[in-house]
């Protein structure tokens, strides 16, 4: 079809000789006489090629020599199309090779074959004289698949078309057969598309006639017996067939395009086309039903012995060998969990009958972990109780206790209970050391899990010093023992901790963590959600919410029922921060309320709770619902209401009620440090609210001082959110330019308030040499309009000293002017982001 449509649309029909080869063609003379007749039917060939008739002494070699002589004068481009070249016998192929190599350059050969044939085409390939259209080129794309179904009059939904494209692997005939099959249904849908397989009558008939029945008995036996496998190699094929030469047979099938695909460059592992595998499995069940269980059992033993545990478990389940399958899964579960493969675990567990999960101690522990991963801690507890009561297999009591200990730690972490996490972490490490003799390396893996679990729990409880220590130890250990997913989860919490020390570094490391997760296929897990949430939130804090929105959406994709309450609280609360930054107060209120509901599920204090409630109060105030804000504050305990973050909410409310004196009173413990805040960024809001209150009380000097302090705190991390939530353009413009070190930052804030969006930042190459503390102090003044003597006065040093530091800054930043140095420093996160 492809060749005929090409000849027709290119207007080449009169220049092309078409020669179809008969099936199992064994008569070279007959083939070559067909070539002669086809060439004589072309315009040029009719004048050049002489007639020939069959004769006993006329062989293929003689005909080839006659054709070469007749076509030597050929002046115009002509084509010889030979269809089904693979049907030719070896002698005819050798004659064709001679003809191709010696024919006139004006005669082009177009050969269609199901598999590679011995024609010595490698020389033409090297010389660039060979064009090849192979299987990948002939596969239909998804768009072409949709076009085919539309042309067949089938109105299939997009997901159904995608399923059929995936099932057929783009095989054109398979898609056409699918269209014929579905055309008989009044309303074909996604379900029918998903059920389309190689056992479909039209597909089965085609594959049987065109592929399977053409093979020898030995090859058919190999295909049927190995069809139970997802992938096969020569050794495994020999095991299941009881024969030899399996790898050679599989390689020959690949070369013959017999729906067998090589999986590696060395051509040692293979798989069957999905539809072909469906047919083979159907034929195996029909013709050799008594062999199926034994084949699965033999495959399970072979795969388990070579470390391919997941495939081995599936084959043991198919053989209904529940005991060996359960022991394999119990042994492999810690490693699968530590690699983030919870979906694989869930699928394997689903392959066991329900009674197996409750009767076997190890399987019950795995089921408990699976329930927890699915967001059902109560069901996890039930399975864990069964695991502790159920008998363990002989000699496997230690393994059962180890699994129970891991799940106990995970449940404690899910609830955010530091005391329970600490206790279970210690017990687990003791059990792991005892198991080290039977499972070398497991002790260190579980120690890394325990340390990272401790660090993450301590982080949410604002015990930052302990969290830093445990996370550093856990990440280093995970890296050393080669557990990248475990290392990644620890890195995400380390990036979260950096937020409280350096926002630009937290932003960079969170981006890196999220990109790492996407590269490794971990983008559906909670750790990826936390990394994306971090990026989105920081961008919101920096007044760049439009950049942050896609990151927050990525985070929310991971927010499911199974999300740990601490993670769920954080994602919902920080969605509210992003909504506030975008001016969507109603959306922000809904997010803060949802986070507050999650907070009620926590059994321990959490660093996000008070910040979320402060934002909740402030959002109610922004929406004009001051009475509801009062009710929220009144519902808190005295201790919670007196906390630093809640005092910021109270001050916002009092300012909205035109009571600046009460706002000053609310802020006083925050400003003198007696009411502590978890992050310096909140202190910037406190001084900004103080500036607003002092200005309302008619004290411009105090207002200017508080505003300058707010800018001091906002500048290093670029925290501009507070100036968007509490816009004070008049106060900012009133600061004398010669007295502020933040002229550039003020201009940036005023630009944001005027609706100017900052451009996305671009990370540059890292510094070859770090800046000294003195150089950093000078750098802070470069975005301002202060002169060198002014900066020297601010720092109490000589102007010459400032000049030296500026020269060093230019050299290290690769800049020649002050503006270039500022731009480069902003890109490196050394200054607040600019508005370029």
């Amino acid at each position: 079809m492809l060749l005929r449509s090409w000849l027709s649309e290119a207007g080449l029909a009169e220049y092309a000789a078409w020669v179809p080869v008969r099936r199992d063609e064994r008569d070279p003379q007959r083939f070559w006489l067909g070539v002669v007749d086809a060439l004589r039917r072309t315009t040029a060939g009719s004048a050049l090629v002489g007639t020939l008739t069959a004769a006993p002494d006329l062989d293929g070699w003689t005909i080839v020599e006659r054709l070469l002589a007749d076509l030597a004068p050929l002046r115009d481009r002509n084509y010889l199309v030979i269809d089904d070249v693979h049907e030719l016998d070896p002698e005819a192929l050798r004659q064709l090779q001679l003809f191709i190599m010696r024919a006139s350059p004006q005669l082009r050969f177009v050969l269609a074959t199901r598999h590679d044939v011995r024609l010595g085409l490698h020389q033409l390939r090297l010389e660039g004289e060979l064009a090849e259209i192979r299987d990948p080129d002939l596969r239909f794309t998804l768009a072409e698949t949709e076009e085919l179904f539309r042309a067949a009059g089938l109105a299939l939904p997009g997901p159904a078309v995608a399923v059929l494209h995936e099932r057929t692997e783009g095989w054109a005939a398979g898609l056409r057969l699918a269209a014929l099959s579905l055309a008989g249904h009044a309303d074909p849908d996604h379900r029918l598309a998903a059920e389309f397989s190689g056992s479909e009558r039209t597909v089965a008939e085609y594959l049987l006639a065109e592929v399977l029945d053409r093979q020898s008995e030995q090859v058919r036996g190999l295909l049927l017996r190995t069809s139970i496998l997802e992938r096969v190699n020569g050794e495994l094929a020999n095991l299941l067939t009881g024969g030899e030469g399996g790898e050679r047979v599989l390689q020959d099938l690949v070369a013959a395009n017999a729906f067998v695909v090589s999986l590696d460059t060395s051509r040692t592992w293979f798989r069957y086309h999905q539809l072909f595998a469906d047919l083979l499995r159907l034929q195996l069940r029909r013709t050799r039903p008594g062999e199926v269980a034994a084949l699965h059992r033999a495959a399970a033993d072979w795969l388990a012995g070579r470390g391919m545990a997941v495939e081995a478990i599936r084959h043991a389940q198919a053989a209904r060998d529940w005991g060996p399958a359960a022991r394999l899964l119990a042994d492999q579960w810690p490693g699968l969990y530590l690699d983030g493969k919870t979906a694989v675990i869930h699928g394997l567990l689903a392959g066991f009958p329900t009674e197996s999960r409750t009767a076997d101690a190890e399987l019950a522990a795995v089921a408990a972990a699976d329930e927890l991963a699915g967001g059902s801690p109560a069901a996890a507890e039930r399975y864990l109780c069964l695991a502790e009561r159920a008998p363990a297999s002989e000699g496997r009591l230690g393994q059962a206790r180890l699994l129970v200990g891991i799940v106990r730690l995970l449940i404690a972490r899910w609830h955010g209970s530091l005391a329970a996490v600490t206790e279970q972490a210690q017990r687990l490490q003791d059990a792991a050391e005892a198991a080290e003799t039977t499972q070398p390396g497991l002790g260190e893996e579980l120690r890394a899990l325990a340390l990272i679990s401790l660090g993450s729990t301590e982080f949410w409880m604002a015990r930052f010093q302990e969290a830093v220590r445990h996370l550093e130890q856990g990440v280093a250990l995970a890296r050393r023992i080669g557990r990248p997913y475990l290392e990644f989860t620890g890195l995400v919490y380390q990036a979260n901790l950096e937020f409280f020390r350096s926002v630009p570094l937290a932003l960079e490391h969170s981006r890196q963590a999220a990109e790492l997760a996407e590269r490794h296929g971990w983008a559906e897990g909670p750790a990826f959600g936390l990394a994306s949430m971090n990026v989105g939130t920081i961008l919101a804090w920096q007044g760049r919410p439009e950049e942050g929105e896609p990151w927050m959406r990525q985070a929310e994709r991971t927010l499911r029922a199974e999300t740990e309450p601490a993670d769920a609280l954080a994602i919902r609360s920080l969605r509210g921060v992003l909504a506030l930054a975008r001016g969507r107060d109603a959306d922000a209120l809904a997010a803060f309320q949802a986070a507050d509901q999650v907070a009620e599920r926590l059994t321990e204090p959490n660093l996000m709770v008070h910040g979320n409630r402060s934002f909740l109060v402030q959002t109610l105030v922004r929406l004009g619902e001051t009475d509801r804000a009062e009710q929220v504050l009144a519902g808190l305990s005295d201790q919670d209401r007196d906390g630093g973050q809640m005092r910021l909410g109270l001050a916002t409310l009092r300012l909205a009620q035109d009571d600046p004196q009460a706002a000053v009173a609310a802020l006083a413990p925050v400003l003198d440090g007696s009411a502590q805040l978890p992050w310096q960024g909140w202190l910037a809001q406190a001084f900004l609210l103080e500036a607003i209150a002092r200005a309302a009380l008619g004290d411009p000097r105090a207002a200017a001082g508080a505003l300058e302090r707010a800018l001091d705190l906002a500048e290093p991390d670029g925290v501009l959110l507070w100036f968007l939530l509490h816009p004070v353009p008049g106060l900012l413009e009133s600061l004398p330019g010669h007295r502020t070190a933040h002229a550039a930052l003020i201009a940036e804030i005023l630009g944001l308030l005027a609706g100017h969006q900052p451009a996305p930042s671009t990370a540059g190459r890292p510094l070859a040499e770090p800046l000294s503390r003195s150089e950093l102090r000078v750098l802070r003044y470069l975005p301002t309009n202060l002169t060198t003597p002014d900066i020297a006065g601010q720092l109490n040093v000589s102007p010459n000293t400032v000049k030296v530091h500026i020269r060093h800054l230019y050299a290290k930043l690769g800049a020649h002017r002050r503006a270039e140095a500022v731009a480069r420093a902003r890109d490196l996160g050394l200054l607040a982001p600019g508005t370029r």
Side-chain angles (χ1 to χ4, degrees), residues 486-504:
L486 190 58
E487 176 189 350
F488 161 68
T489 59
L491 287 172
V492 169
Y493 280 101
Q494 283 186 321
N496 288 351
L497 278 165
E498 280 176 347
F499 177 83
F500 296 92
R501 294 180 292 181
S502 169
V503 169

Side-chain angles (χ1 to χ4, degrees), residues 16 39 54 72 102 141 153 176 180 225 344 423 449 467 471 614 621 695 750 765:
L39 285 168
R102 291 176 54 193
T141 65
R176 180 63 182 148
L180 291 171
R225 288 188 174 94
V344 173
E423 178 186 356
L449 172 64
L471 287 171
S614 178
V621 171
L750 293 174
R765 63 186 185 281

Side-chain angles (χ1 to χ4, degrees), residues 456-471:
S456 62
T457 307
E458 288 161 343
F459 165 76
W460 289 124
M461 297 186 68
R463 299 181 63 164
F464 297 148
Q465 190 171 356
E466 297 94 329
V468 167
R469 184 176 72 257
H470 288 134
L471 287 171

